[in-house]
Amino acid sequence: MGFLDGAELHARLVKLEVPDPPLDAAEFKPGRWSKRKVGAERWVRPSLVVEVAFGEWTPDKRIRHAVFRGIRTDKPAKMIIRERVKNPAASALAPVATESKAAQTISKVKITHPDRVIDPTTGLRKIDLVRYYESVAEWMLPHLKDRPASLVRAPNGITGQLFFQKHPESKMPGLKELDPALWPGHEALLAVNSANALIAAAQMNVVEFHTWNSKVARIDQPDRFVLDLDPGEGVTWPMLQEAAQLTRVMLAELGLECWLKTSGGKGLHIVVPITPKRDYTEVKAFSQSVVKHMARVIPSRFVSVMGGKNRVGRIFIDYLRNGHGQTTACAFSARSRPGLGVSMPVGWEQLKELKGGAQWTIATAREYLSFQQEDPWREFWRKRQSVDSAIKILAGT
């Protein structure tokens, strides 16, 4: 195999540099969260053969997450063809191995049993899940950082026994053990504050990441509440879309702006950022009042009581996760269900286009994100709103 060394490579590329790109500008426009700035590229005449490692082929026949390995001097361009895989769905996220098949290393985390199938319905493997979390870490961490987290682990895949973990274990490096004083009378909580911690958790068979509604700094004062639209038997997807829009209108009448994400399962999550002033008891009581009002005003669509018999053909708006110590599936988290759907933040203008709560999976989410130009939740982080006025308005209805 003929690779050029660094000095030779630089010399060849300098000679081939051209002022204008050989591609249309739209072909290399930075994606939604790309760190690359427009105009930062340097172009060369397309006359060399190079070797790259990459994550996947896109539907429009491009490669995603390419890593340059070197220029090949031993092969003419006419010999280069696209390699095929036997099972594209199962191999979509397969990385180039840095060790043997028995173990791979990703971001300094050793991944054991990378080819273990964790979802028999799709053939998706442990390494596919790890690579997914590596690829979305930059976007997911703002939703995870400095919040107590609970983890759903699936040592034998999602069809085996699942474990819910709320406290640190020595076997999971990178996870932060929080001060036990944050929740007196309980074991220390944990937080996932870095990309390595996220990958290390996936290595320990964590599929789902759930977070509290408060941050460590103000542990008893939530800075958001969540309304989970949980469809009962007989509820169609268009009915759920309508329910989400009605809930948004209700919150707007109370002076509250909200954001939308898919649940990764059957439903939708509506997230409302609030100023962290009131405690969990007050915030949960308020969210319950919102749900009861919706069920009272539109009883044909909504129900405020749990139980399958109560919500046949109707939607239970789950407010219970707004209590102290309760959690919600984090944005970008995979779900331990067939298909490995993910909880995807979306804009309200996308609601009518959604096909289901698990529209994106670990095999398709990264591709979708790479083509988005704007973050639909960009204003979420800057929003400051209190529930004080909303409580008074609701009390007068």
Side-chain angles (χ1 to χ4, degrees):
M1 185 181 299
F3 280 139
L4 297 178
D5 63 28
E8 291 178 296
L9 172 61
H10 183 266
R12 291 282 297 273
L13 291 177
V14 168
K15 291 180 180 179
L16 292 172
E17 187 170 0
V18 294
D20 298 316
L23 303 173
D24 182 79
E27 294 284 332
F28 53 89
K29 186 176 180 180
R32 173 171 158 191
W33 284 293
S34 176
K35 294 182 179 179
R36 177 170 60 86
K37 296 181 180 179
V38 175
E41 307 86 2
R42 296 178 66 182
W43 298 97
V44 296
R45 292 195 305 273
S47 60
L48 299 178
V49 175
V50 301
E51 180 171 318
V52 298
F54 60 95
E56 61 190 319
W57 283 99
T58 69
D60 52 356
K61 299 181 181 180
R62 301 178 187 176
I63 59 174
R64 213 25 96 192
H65 298 278
V67 178
F68 177 73
R69 297 298 191 197
I71 291 180
R72 296 293 297 265
T73 60
D74 58 332
K75 287 188 177 183
K78 63 182 180 180
M79 290 181 60
I80 307 303
I81 60 173
R82 175 177 173 178
E83 296 179 351
R84 301 289 178 178
V85 294
K86 295 181 179 179
N87 187 352
S91 304
L93 303 181
V96 175
T98 55
E99 296 183 15
S100 67
K101 287 186 178 181
Q104 296 181 22
T105 300
I106 298 175
S107 297
K108 300 181 181 180
V109 178
K110 185 177 181 180
I111 310 302
T112 59
H113 308 292
D115 292 322
R116 177 190 292 154
V117 173
I118 58 175
D119 178 19
T121 66
T122 60
L124 289 166
R125 306 159 300 162
K126 179 179 178 178
I127 192 62
D128 299 325
L129 182 67
V130 174
R131 275 295 185 186
Y132 165 72
Y133 279 126
E134 180 193 37
S135 70
V136 300
E138 183 179 358
W139 313 321
M140 187 174 179
L141 284 173
H143 298 269
L144 280 171
K145 194 173 182 180
D146 296 327
R147 291 185 188 275
S150 296
L151 315 175
V152 177
R153 300 173 64 180
N156 297 308
I158 62 172
T159 57
Q161 186 175 2
L162 304 180
F163 298 88
F164 208 77
Q165 179 183 338
K166 295 183 178 181
H167 312 290
E169 288 186 3
S170 58
K171 294 181 179 179
M172 209 175 289
L175 296 184
K176 183 177 181 180
E177 180 174 333
L178 301 177
D179 186 349
L182 290 171
W183 198 2
H186 294 78
E187 293 183 55
L189 298 168
L190 61 84
V192 183
N193 288 347
S194 69
N196 271 355
L198 185 64
I199 295 168
Q203 150 60 18
M204 293 302 294
N205 306 300
V206 173
V207 177
E208 301 187 17
F209 295 81
H210 295 239
T211 53
W212 283 38
N213 282 339
S214 59
K215 291 187 175 181
V216 173
R218 306 182 78 164
I219 192 68
D220 295 321
Q221 297 171 314
D223 63 355
R224 71 185 187 197
F225 67 88
V226 180
L227 298 177
D228 178 5
L229 304 187
D230 189 3
E233 182 181 349
V235 173
T236 64
W237 180 250
M239 290 170 63
L240 198 66
Q241 290 170 303
E242 178 192 45
Q245 192 60 56
L246 289 170
T247 305
R248 184 192 187 194
V249 171
M250 170 65 184
L251 291 168
E253 291 294 322
L254 296 174
L256 297 172
E257 193 171 351
C258 57
W259 277 258
L260 180 70
K261 68 185 180 79
T262 63
S263 69
K266 295 181 180 180
L268 294 167
H269 292 165
I270 295 176
V271 186
V272 186
I274 57 175
T275 304
K277 295 193 305 182
R278 294 179 176 267
D279 62 27
Y280 270 99
T281 301
E282 294 174 300
V283 173
K284 180 182 177 182
F286 169 68
S287 65
Q288 181 181 17
S289 297
V290 172
V291 172
K292 285 185 174 181
H293 181 80
M294 295 287 288
R296 185 171 63 251
V297 174
I298 318 176
S300 63
R301 283 285 186 267
F302 300 104
V303 61
S304 61
V305 182
M306 288 187 68
K309 294 181 179 180
N310 297 316
R311 54 193 181 99
V312 173
R314 295 187 291 177
I315 297 161
F316 171 56
I317 307 179
D318 187 355
Y319 62 87
L320 299 172
R321 61 190 65 239
N322 295 314
H324 186 273
Q326 300 301 306
T327 59
T328 303
C330 182
F332 300 103
S333 174
R335 306 305 301 273
S336 51
R337 303 175 183 182
L340 293 176
V342 302
S343 181
M344 179 67 71
V346 294
W348 281 102
E349 70 281 359
Q350 294 176 264
L351 176 60
K352 62 181 181 297
E353 302 170 1
L354 295 180
K355 305 300 182 184
Q359 179 161 330
W360 292 280
T361 71
I362 68 166
T364 62
R366 185 172 64 186
E367 177 62 22
Y368 162 75
L369 288 169
S370 69
F371 285 99
Q372 302 310 300
Q373 298 300 316
E374 292 185 347
D375 178 2
W377 279 37
R378 60 190 178 280
E379 299 299 326
F380 173 86
W381 309 104
R382 297 191 287 266
K383 187 63 180 180
R384 298 291 181 269
Q385 56 187 359
S386 170
V387 297
D388 294 352
S389 296
I391 290 174
K392 293 178 182 178
I393 294 172
L394 199 58
T397 57

